[in-house]
Amino acid sequence: MQDIEADIIVVGAGLAGLSAALTAHERGLKVIVLECAPEDERGGNTRFSNGAMRAVYQGIADVEELVGEIGAEERAHTDFGAYTKEEYFDDLARVTQYRTDQEMADLLVANSRDTMRWLRAKGVKFFPLYGWQFRSPDGSIRFAGGSAVETYDGGEGLSGSLFTAIERAGIPVLYRTRAISLIERSGRIVGVKARRGREVVEVIGRCVILAAGGFEANPEWRTRYLGPGFELAKVRGSRFNTGDGLRMALDAGAMPHGHWSGCHSASWDLNAPDVNELAYGTVFKRDDYFYGIMVNTRGERFVDEGSDVRAVTYAKLGRVILAQPGQVAWQIYDAKGTPFLHEEYRHRRSARLRADTLDELADKMEGIDKASFLQTVASFNKSVRRDIPFDPSGKKDGRCTVGLTVPKSNWAETIDTPPFEAYAVTCGVTFTFGGVRITTNGAVMDLDGAPIPGLFAAGSMVGGLFYFNYPGGAGLMGAAVFGRVAGAGAAEFVTASG
Ligand SMILES: Cc1cc2nc3c(=O)[nH]c(=O)nc-3n(C[C@H](O)[C@H](O)[C@H](O)COP(=O)(O)OP(=O)(O)OC[C@H]3O[C@@H](n4cnc5c(N)ncnc54)[C@H](O)[C@@H]3O)c2cc1C
């Protein structure tokens, strides 16, 4: 048993943990970070992410503050729009079915802009988020959906810049160090027990910030909390987020909060490994479903592919696919839809099928009820409102179907122009929504609603923000905002209590 000492012990080296560590260090405290992954797999889900971030901005000047000057040509064909506090709050409320914890939502929204500036100052580079916007046939781009920027080189770039900042600040990170339990002395959390291989070490300090992610990589917990069948879902991110931080907090008497049976889960390529690897990143995402239709093995459509814009629909689609027979579905496109597909659809491991007729395509779709599939496409084609123009350039276009049990509310295009393509997909779990309840300065509350002295939490471990769904880009934003909140709260606690 070996003792290591610091003022503040941070568990987890994703965006939340690193933001907390840097914030506490800025306030003059001695911080140490424990990370269970080896150094070459560090960075948690943050490193796997696309790097899209949802923050309030008033217009192009705010975007330029983050990305640098935008050239005249880019300005000429791009409408960067704006995203107000009210819009952010409305989106959060709407997609969570009005359950989002108002206090948490207020913290997220109110601190989003300033936190983006802070990340920029820490060396994170941003880029306009062109990939998520709608393009008109004339090439012009209209920003819609709230997230205006992404980090340069996605999660890899974000994670890399933060580790550089951590190294510059001289904050030690202990890799392959898995926190297993909290140490409490005289009613105050002062440290953690951690495993380093078979050795158990005690890391003693003056308080602990848990930022160890959710339980998405733990099949047993997924089944227990998200529901039967979730053990069969694929993991889109880090293999290290197995719920340790949540277990430790609950063992210490923390109050559970939020949507414990809820998670972010998306449409994910059937050929993806069961648990993602850094070399693949996000190549298996299949989020362009609204340019086509989706069918299950019964050959039936089962979801409104065009109910809303992607940013507010993709994160709930995985669960719907998981409920289909065999936990699989196909996305079907014709030659009118395929030009809109993102590059990752062409990845060499993509479960992609191609044919010149729908009949031949169905023959390649293993296990599909062919007659039913052909009938589904025929009825779908008949039901499309051709009098409403198809418009991929911005808001919902209202081009819908009529008379179908499962409607398509926007971007309904007939599937009739060869060649046809089918992409086999399943459910990919991204992160879980259940967490612990915190105060507005990041302290973990006990079952009676009082702060547990010396215990703070941040990032995906914080419950109450997301229910059923989430607005794209709010996961990273939440990790950074609540990381800073916990870092400042912990620093204040240590300074005040000694
Ligand atoms: C494929 C993918 C794409 C995504 N894209 C986006 C996006 O574009 N925009 C967006 O907003 N969000 C996105 N997200 C979600 C986003 O990644 C998360 O919301 C965010 O990274 C959470 O940060 P965090 O610090 O809480 O968790 P993480 O980044 O997961 O960090 C948790 C850390 O804790 C460590 N840990 C776990 N247990 C222990 C233990 N016992 N001891 C020590 N360390 C431990 C883990 O190894 C990990 O490093 C995406 C996620 C995935 C998987």
PDB file of all heavy atoms in Angstrom, residues 269 271 345-346 349-354 421-424:
ATOM      1  N   ASP A 269     -23.428   1.169 -37.433  1.00  0.00           N
ATOM      2  CA  ASP A 269     -23.214   0.127 -38.438  1.00  0.00           C
ATOM      3  C   ASP A 269     -23.159  -1.267 -37.799  1.00  0.00           C
ATOM      4  O   ASP A 269     -22.508  -1.476 -36.778  1.00  0.00           O
ATOM      5  CB  ASP A 269     -21.905   0.408 -39.182  1.00  0.00           C
ATOM      6  CG  ASP A 269     -21.811  -0.396 -40.455  1.00  0.00           C
ATOM      7  OD1 ASP A 269     -21.595  -1.631 -40.377  1.00  0.00           O
ATOM      8  OD2 ASP A 269     -21.954   0.204 -41.537  1.00  0.00           O
ATOM      9  N   ASN A 271     -21.608  -3.786 -38.755  1.00  0.00           N
ATOM     10  CA  ASN A 271     -20.260  -4.370 -38.795  1.00  0.00           C
ATOM     11  C   ASN A 271     -19.307  -3.781 -37.765  1.00  0.00           C
ATOM     12  O   ASN A 271     -18.148  -4.202 -37.687  1.00  0.00           O
ATOM     13  CB  ASN A 271     -19.629  -4.159 -40.176  1.00  0.00           C
ATOM     14  CG  ASN A 271     -20.129  -5.163 -41.188  1.00  0.00           C
ATOM     15  OD1 ASN A 271     -20.784  -6.140 -40.814  1.00  0.00           O
ATOM     16  ND2 ASN A 271     -19.850  -4.920 -42.457  1.00  0.00           N
ATOM     17  N   TYR A 345     -20.289   6.639 -44.598  1.00  0.00           N
ATOM     18  CA  TYR A 345     -21.103   5.560 -45.183  1.00  0.00           C
ATOM     19  C   TYR A 345     -20.275   4.733 -46.171  1.00  0.00           C
ATOM     20  O   TYR A 345     -20.613   3.600 -46.488  1.00  0.00           O
ATOM     21  CB  TYR A 345     -22.330   6.150 -45.897  1.00  0.00           C
ATOM     22  CG  TYR A 345     -23.515   6.411 -44.979  1.00  0.00           C
ATOM     23  CD1 TYR A 345     -23.494   7.449 -44.064  1.00  0.00           C
ATOM     24  CD2 TYR A 345     -24.667   5.625 -45.044  1.00  0.00           C
ATOM     25  CE1 TYR A 345     -24.580   7.699 -43.230  1.00  0.00           C
ATOM     26  CE2 TYR A 345     -25.755   5.862 -44.213  1.00  0.00           C
ATOM     27  CZ  TYR A 345     -25.708   6.903 -43.310  1.00  0.00           C
ATOM     28  OH  TYR A 345     -26.786   7.140 -42.484  1.00  0.00           O
ATOM     29  N   ARG A 346     -19.204   5.350 -46.690  1.00  0.00           N
ATOM     30  CA  ARG A 346     -18.369   4.672 -47.702  1.00  0.00           C
ATOM     31  C   ARG A 346     -17.211   3.912 -47.066  1.00  0.00           C
ATOM     32  O   ARG A 346     -16.357   3.385 -47.775  1.00  0.00           O
ATOM     33  CB  ARG A 346     -17.777   5.693 -48.687  1.00  0.00           C
ATOM     34  CG  ARG A 346     -18.790   6.621 -49.275  1.00  0.00           C
ATOM     35  CD  ARG A 346     -19.387   6.043 -50.557  1.00  0.00           C
ATOM     36  NE  ARG A 346     -20.600   6.768 -50.906  1.00  0.00           N
ATOM     37  CZ  ARG A 346     -21.786   6.192 -51.097  1.00  0.00           C
ATOM     38  NH1 ARG A 346     -21.930   4.886 -50.998  1.00  0.00           N
ATOM     39  NH2 ARG A 346     -22.835   6.901 -51.417  1.00  0.00           N
ATOM     40  N   ARG A 349     -15.467  -0.921 -44.004  1.00  0.00           N
ATOM     41  CA  ARG A 349     -16.140  -1.922 -43.166  1.00  0.00           C
ATOM     42  C   ARG A 349     -17.658  -1.726 -43.104  1.00  0.00           C
ATOM     43  O   ARG A 349     -18.359  -2.426 -42.395  1.00  0.00           O
ATOM     44  CB  ARG A 349     -15.564  -1.876 -41.744  1.00  0.00           C
ATOM     45  CG  ARG A 349     -14.318  -2.743 -41.627  1.00  0.00           C
ATOM     46  CD  ARG A 349     -13.926  -3.020 -40.219  1.00  0.00           C
ATOM     47  NE  ARG A 349     -14.927  -3.745 -39.432  1.00  0.00           N
ATOM     48  CZ  ARG A 349     -14.651  -4.342 -38.281  1.00  0.00           C
ATOM     49  NH1 ARG A 349     -13.436  -4.313 -37.794  1.00  0.00           N
ATOM     50  NH2 ARG A 349     -15.600  -4.962 -37.597  1.00  0.00           N
ATOM     51  N   SER A 350     -18.144  -0.750 -43.839  1.00  0.00           N
ATOM     52  CA  SER A 350     -19.569  -0.434 -43.798  1.00  0.00           C
ATOM     53  C   SER A 350     -20.402  -1.640 -44.267  1.00  0.00           C
ATOM     54  O   SER A 350     -20.069  -2.289 -45.264  1.00  0.00           O
ATOM     55  CB  SER A 350     -19.799   0.757 -44.732  1.00  0.00           C
ATOM     56  OG  SER A 350     -21.132   1.113 -44.748  1.00  0.00           O
ATOM     57  N   ALA A 351     -21.509  -1.923 -43.564  1.00  0.00           N
ATOM     58  CA  ALA A 351     -22.406  -3.028 -43.945  1.00  0.00           C
ATOM     59  C   ALA A 351     -23.326  -2.533 -45.059  1.00  0.00           C
ATOM     60  O   ALA A 351     -24.521  -2.326 -44.877  1.00  0.00           O
ATOM     61  CB  ALA A 351     -23.207  -3.495 -42.746  1.00  0.00           C
ATOM     62  N   ARG A 352     -22.741  -2.321 -46.227  1.00  0.00           N
ATOM     63  CA  ARG A 352     -23.420  -1.656 -47.331  1.00  0.00           C
ATOM     64  C   ARG A 352     -23.745  -2.635 -48.453  1.00  0.00           C
ATOM     65  O   ARG A 352     -22.896  -3.437 -48.837  1.00  0.00           O
ATOM     66  CB  ARG A 352     -22.471  -0.574 -47.832  1.00  0.00           C
ATOM     67  CG  ARG A 352     -22.865   0.115 -49.084  1.00  0.00           C
ATOM     68  CD  ARG A 352     -21.718   1.039 -49.466  1.00  0.00           C
ATOM     69  NE  ARG A 352     -22.006   1.734 -50.692  1.00  0.00           N
ATOM     70  CZ  ARG A 352     -21.082   2.057 -51.567  1.00  0.00           C
ATOM     71  NH1 ARG A 352     -19.814   1.734 -51.367  1.00  0.00           N
ATOM     72  NH2 ARG A 352     -21.396   2.699 -52.668  1.00  0.00           N
ATOM     73  N   LEU A 353     -24.952  -2.556 -48.959  1.00  0.00           N
ATOM     74  CA  LEU A 353     -25.359  -3.404 -50.078  1.00  0.00           C
ATOM     75  C   LEU A 353     -25.825  -2.490 -51.204  1.00  0.00           C
ATOM     76  O   LEU A 353     -26.376  -1.415 -50.938  1.00  0.00           O
ATOM     77  CB  LEU A 353     -26.521  -4.310 -49.656  1.00  0.00           C
ATOM     78  CG  LEU A 353     -26.276  -5.195 -48.423  1.00  0.00           C
ATOM     79  CD1 LEU A 353     -27.578  -5.799 -47.938  1.00  0.00           C
ATOM     80  CD2 LEU A 353     -25.258  -6.278 -48.744  1.00  0.00           C
ATOM     81  N   ARG A 354     -25.634  -2.943 -52.434  1.00  0.00           N
ATOM     82  CA  ARG A 354     -25.963  -2.085 -53.575  1.00  0.00           C
ATOM     83  C   ARG A 354     -26.576  -2.936 -54.680  1.00  0.00           C
ATOM     84  O   ARG A 354     -26.124  -4.071 -54.898  1.00  0.00           O
ATOM     85  CB  ARG A 354     -24.656  -1.475 -54.070  1.00  0.00           C
ATOM     86  CG  ARG A 354     -24.789  -0.230 -54.858  1.00  0.00           C
ATOM     87  CD  ARG A 354     -23.444   0.488 -54.850  1.00  0.00           C
ATOM     88  NE  ARG A 354     -23.614   1.853 -55.288  1.00  0.00           N
ATOM     89  CZ  ARG A 354     -23.364   2.264 -56.526  1.00  0.00           C
ATOM     90  NH1 ARG A 354     -22.895   1.436 -57.431  1.00  0.00           N
ATOM     91  NH2 ARG A 354     -23.556   3.535 -56.859  1.00  0.00           N
ATOM     92  N   GLU A 421     -29.315   1.509 -52.429  1.00  0.00           N
ATOM     93  CA  GLU A 421     -28.355   1.067 -51.407  1.00  0.00           C
ATOM     94  C   GLU A 421     -29.076   0.753 -50.108  1.00  0.00           C
ATOM     95  O   GLU A 421     -30.061   1.415 -49.759  1.00  0.00           O
ATOM     96  CB  GLU A 421     -27.289   2.140 -51.158  1.00  0.00           C
ATOM     97  CG  GLU A 421     -26.392   2.344 -52.365  1.00  0.00           C
ATOM     98  CD  GLU A 421     -25.197   3.253 -52.113  1.00  0.00           C
ATOM     99  OE1 GLU A 421     -25.049   3.758 -50.982  1.00  0.00           O
ATOM    100  OE2 GLU A 421     -24.427   3.454 -53.070  1.00  0.00           O
ATOM    101  N   ALA A 422     -28.568  -0.268 -49.403  1.00  0.00           N
ATOM    102  CA  ALA A 422     -29.104  -0.620 -48.075  1.00  0.00           C
ATOM    103  C   ALA A 422     -27.926  -0.684 -47.113  1.00  0.00           C
ATOM    104  O   ALA A 422     -26.859  -1.221 -47.453  1.00  0.00           O
ATOM    105  CB  ALA A 422     -29.800  -1.973 -48.132  1.00  0.00           C
ATOM    106  N   TYR A 423     -28.090  -0.114 -45.936  1.00  0.00           N
ATOM    107  CA  TYR A 423     -27.043  -0.140 -44.905  1.00  0.00           C
ATOM    108  C   TYR A 423     -27.621  -0.832 -43.677  1.00  0.00           C
ATOM    109  O   TYR A 423     -28.616  -0.361 -43.108  1.00  0.00           O
ATOM    110  CB  TYR A 423     -26.612   1.291 -44.547  1.00  0.00           C
ATOM    111  CG  TYR A 423     -25.903   1.980 -45.682  1.00  0.00           C
ATOM    112  CD1 TYR A 423     -26.618   2.606 -46.695  1.00  0.00           C
ATOM    113  CD2 TYR A 423     -24.510   1.970 -45.766  1.00  0.00           C
ATOM    114  CE1 TYR A 423     -25.982   3.211 -47.763  1.00  0.00           C
ATOM    115  CE2 TYR A 423     -23.855   2.583 -46.835  1.00  0.00           C
ATOM    116  CZ  TYR A 423     -24.594   3.203 -47.828  1.00  0.00           C
ATOM    117  OH  TYR A 423     -23.946   3.796 -48.885  1.00  0.00           O
ATOM    118  N   ALA A 424     -27.006  -1.939 -43.259  1.00  0.00           N
ATOM    119  CA  ALA A 424     -27.488  -2.666 -42.080  1.00  0.00           C
ATOM    120  C   ALA A 424     -26.989  -1.945 -40.829  1.00  0.00           C
ATOM    121  O   ALA A 424     -25.798  -1.630 -40.701  1.00  0.00           O
ATOM    122  CB  ALA A 424     -26.978  -4.098 -42.100  1.00  0.00           C
TER     123      ALA A 424
END
